Amino acid sequence: MKYLDEFNDPQLARRLLDEIRATATRPWAVMEVCGGQTHSIIRHGIDQLLPEQVELIHGPGCPVCVTPLESIDKALEIAARPDVIFCSFGDMLRVPGTDRDLFRVKGEGGDVRVVYSPLDALQLARSHPDKQVVFFAIGFETTAPANAMAVHQARRLGLANFSLLVSHVRVPPAVEAIMTAPSCRVQGFLAAGHVCSVMGLSEYPDLAERYRVPIVVTGFEPLDILEGIRRTVRQLERGEHRVENAYPRAVREAGNPAAVRMIEEVFEVTDRSWRGIGPIPASGWRLSEAYRSYDAEHRFDVTGIRTEEPAECRAGEVLQGLIKPTDCAAFGTTCTPRTPLGATMVSSEGACAAYYLYRRMSEPAPARQEMNPVG
């Protein structure tokens, strides 16, 4: 890739759309797994440009959104302690816990800091030996290597005042959970390119075969997504169910072996509860026994957490692809980015945030033929 403009060309977009229209002869429901893809789809109106036979379902691919409420409340309790510097990426600050968020903890005097890398938090631990520095380690497989490296470095340097509050989740078990749900309508998947750039493709062929669904790895630019949809629809029309890599400029079959080795050294697979969805077996990571002393949950003994979601929030149904954000009565009224009821409204990858940011405030969408594709 030389220029982003290469993947935003309106003429090429129209050609791909024409091919999709010519290929689709019956209704198909395709889920884009990643929230970054959702934002690109809504921003460029890709879902409104597609033929009516092709429906895009927004998936649970927003790690901020699916971080369990219990983990958020644990973060809030730790961050409020006077001996702690609590570090997080910026999009976690407004994610609501049971009764407050990290932004409020900061306003009440907690030392909450936005960092751009877990290694920034590691440096803070070296600079403030009198403080306990905690990094909120969330995310899919994409962010796991950097978080693993941070704790690996902490042990190498002998830093006793650094720890991770881990809430990592894994994509393939979530895909399986979606396919086994009684309400599932998904017939094909657009897999997240950045996840596969780390982990490779090895976990997907079994899922494609077992559930007879095409899985196409895609990127995040408009043409990436349209090409992924084109390939998915082509497989569906042919009755095929294979894994295809439509993002070869970033994804290799084996992923990034060095990153995978680091993850496997520092983390171990565990069951994880997903906010709004519930427990999914083997869908998360936690620190392995060798690194358990760097686990903030154990270090601070945060127990007895009692959580409660707002009754009017339907973010869980949005994350499962059961409803669109506009189907929620709170969307854009009592729930906005400044007064969010759920994480899907504040995360940079949340579906509700995408609909609100790009003024998709109601359905149905404008007529497809009147829209200018990706221009």
Side-chain angles (χ1 to χ4, degrees), residues 2-190:
K2 293 181 293 185
Y3 308 105
L4 283 179
D5 288 348
E6 294 177 350
F7 300 94
N8 286 272
D9 188 313
Q11 291 185 346
L12 290 178
R14 289 188 183 94
R15 285 172 54 186
L16 285 169
L17 284 163
D18 287 343
E19 288 191 40
I20 294 168
R21 290 191 187 97
T23 303
T25 63
R26 67 185 90 170
W28 299 115
V30 178
M31 173 175 282
E32 83 276 3
V33 173
C34 177
Q37 293 168 341
T38 300
H39 271 252
S40 187
I41 287 166
I42 302 304
R43 176 186 178 188
H44 297 285
I46 290 173
D47 57 329
Q48 297 173 321
L49 294 165
L50 291 169
E52 61 182 10
Q53 294 96 326
V54 181
E55 178 190 2
L56 292 182
I57 299 175
H58 311 317
C62 166
V64 171
C65 303
V66 300
T67 300
L69 183 57
E70 183 179 7
S71 294
I72 302 294
D73 284 354
K74 288 177 179 178
L76 297 172
E77 182 173 326
I78 294 171
R81 300 190 181 193
D83 61 332
V84 167
I85 299 175
F86 193 87
C87 301
S88 172
F89 295 137
D91 54 359
M92 290 301 300
L93 262 66
R94 277 210 161 299
V95 176
T98 297
D99 56 9
R100 55 181 175 165
D101 55 28
L102 284 169
F103 194 79
R104 180 173 171 182
V105 171
K106 182 177 176 66
E108 293 172 347
D111 194 346
V112 178
R113 306 193 188 189
V114 173
V115 295
Y116 297 96
S117 162
L119 296 177
D120 294 340
L122 190 69
Q123 185 57 46
L124 283 170
R126 299 182 70 179
S127 304
H128 297 80
D130 58 323
K131 294 282 191 176
Q132 287 289 330
V133 177
V134 181
F135 179 72
F136 201 179
I138 70 156
F140 290 117
E141 294 90 335
T142 321
T143 57
N147 293 337
M149 176 58 74
V151 76
H152 174 85
Q153 289 285 83
R155 190 174 74 162
R156 185 180 68 82
L157 294 169
L159 291 176
N161 65 326
F162 178 80
S163 59
L164 299 182
L165 180 60
V166 181
S167 190
H168 271 298
V169 286
R170 302 173 57 241
V171 171
V175 171
E176 183 165 15
I178 290 166
M179 291 308 302
T180 55
S183 56
C184 178
R185 298 190 299 112
V186 179
Q187 296 163 293
F189 287 93
L190 303 181

